[in-house]
Amino acid sequence: MLLLSSIEPFDWQRVLLSDEAPPAYLLEVAFRCLVTYLLTLGLLRITGRRGVRQLSIFELSIILALGSAAGDAMFYDDVPLLHVAVVFTMVAGMYLLFNRLTEKLPRFSNWLEGAPVLLIEEGRVQLENFKRQNLTQKELFGELRQLQVEHLGQVRRAYIEATGNVSAYFYTPEDVQPGLPIWPERLGQERKRVEKAGLHACCQCGYVQHLERGAVATCPECQTDAWIPACTAQRQSEPAL
């Protein structure tokens, strides 16, 4: 059984100051914070605007790697600042080196940051590509709704980029096809038995076909049997600012 330590609750001397460091050490903590903050700021300046706006996998790994080095150096007295400076210098150097390699070696770039992946083509979800991504249908449709997409028939092609963002190319209004509606209210209306004859979209891949009333059909593309009446609405894009 572990012995209870003799800690006095709300000992303000212990809470506010360390018994192992004099009050003057607070000035060194302030100095350490200033130095590590300037080192972090300098590295972010090297990564440029893109590093602040959206992080790739490599840039996120830099943030995680530097978090401990910067945080510990701010207040631990046994962490020399020169050691921290070497860490920041090495990470900055690797960042610049890897950026050069990604420009000259496309395969290295795809390995390091990932390559764009086609998720939707001609209004249908490319299930083989989609299943390899750490992405759910709910997340994909949520990204498309932010682009003012009402149904997949409005989307000619959609990609998930290396940053995790979804980019899309759309059909012109006159070329919009019937497609799977992606509003949550509509997705909740899926049926295995068709209630009304007409064009219906597969709830999984977006394949569209004409079904008769009362039909129970299996999608020829993905072998699922849940359907929703297809939508034909034109896409309403954001007004120009």
Side-chain angles (χ1 to χ4, degrees):
M1 181 177 179
L2 296 176
L3 297 177
L4 294 177
S5 59
S6 57
I7 297 179
E8 181 182 348
F10 297 103
D11 178 4
W12 297 112
Q13 174 67 23
R14 174 181 55 80
V15 172
L16 298 178
L17 295 171
S18 172
D19 294 333
E20 300 177 357
Y25 179 65
L26 294 176
L27 296 177
E28 182 179 329
V29 171
F31 174 73
R32 286 173 171 270
C33 289
L34 175 63
V35 173
T36 53
Y37 177 77
L38 292 177
L39 288 173
T40 305
L41 186 61
L43 184 58
L44 290 176
R45 290 293 297 170
I46 291 175
T47 61
R49 295 176 183 270
R50 176 174 171 267
V52 177
R53 187 177 69 253
Q54 51 186 347
L55 298 178
S56 65
I57 294 176
F58 176 56
E59 290 160 342
L60 180 59
S61 69
I62 289 178
I63 300 299
L64 296 176
L66 293 181
S68 178
D72 291 351
M74 285 184 177
F75 56 88
Y76 284 133
D77 63 289
D78 58 346
V79 179
L81 289 179
L82 286 180
H83 293 187
V84 177
V86 170
V87 171
F88 274 76
T89 301
M90 287 297 299
V91 171
M94 287 188 294
Y95 178 82
L96 295 175
L97 173 63
F98 283 9
N99 268 352
R100 292 293 179 86
L101 291 177
T102 55
E103 292 175 359
K104 296 183 179 181
L105 303 174
R107 289 187 178 180
F108 179 78
S109 175
N110 292 341
W111 172 81
L112 181 65
E113 297 185 333
V117 177
L118 178 65
L119 295 182
I120 297 176
E121 184 176 18
E122 296 182 355
R124 299 181 190 174
V125 178
Q126 302 301 297
L127 291 178
E128 185 175 348
N129 293 342
F130 178 76
K131 291 179 180 179
R132 289 200 295 263
Q133 307 304 309
N134 187 21
L135 189 69
T136 65
Q137 186 190 72
K138 182 178 180 180
E139 291 171 329
L140 173 60
F141 289 175
E143 292 286 340
L144 292 175
R145 285 193 293 270
Q146 294 185 55
L147 299 175
Q148 290 75 52
V149 175
E150 183 175 347
H151 62 90
L152 297 188
Q154 299 171 343
V155 182
R156 185 160 54 93
R157 299 177 79 87
Y159 296 86
I160 183 169
E161 305 292 349
T163 59
N165 295 329
V166 174
S167 56
Y169 295 88
F170 304 103
Y171 284 109
T172 59
E174 57 271 15
D175 292 330
V176 168
Q177 306 175 9
L180 172 65
I182 63 174
W183 288 358
E185 299 84 356
R186 297 288 299 276
L187 290 172
Q189 299 173 359
E190 64 180 47
R191 297 289 186 272
K192 293 188 176 182
R193 183 179 297 276
V194 176
E195 297 180 350
K196 184 179 179 181
L199 291 175
H200 286 70
C202 170
C203 294
Q204 180 164 307
C205 69
Y207 177 81
V208 176
Q209 68 176 19
H210 186 277
L211 297 176
E212 297 295 334
R213 181 182 179 183
V216 178
T218 299
C219 176
E221 297 290 331
C222 65
Q223 311 307 313
T224 57
D225 57 356
W227 301 86
I228 300 177
C231 183
T232 58
Q234 296 183 356
R235 176 173 174 267
Q236 301 296 323
S237 58
E238 292 181 338
L241 298 179

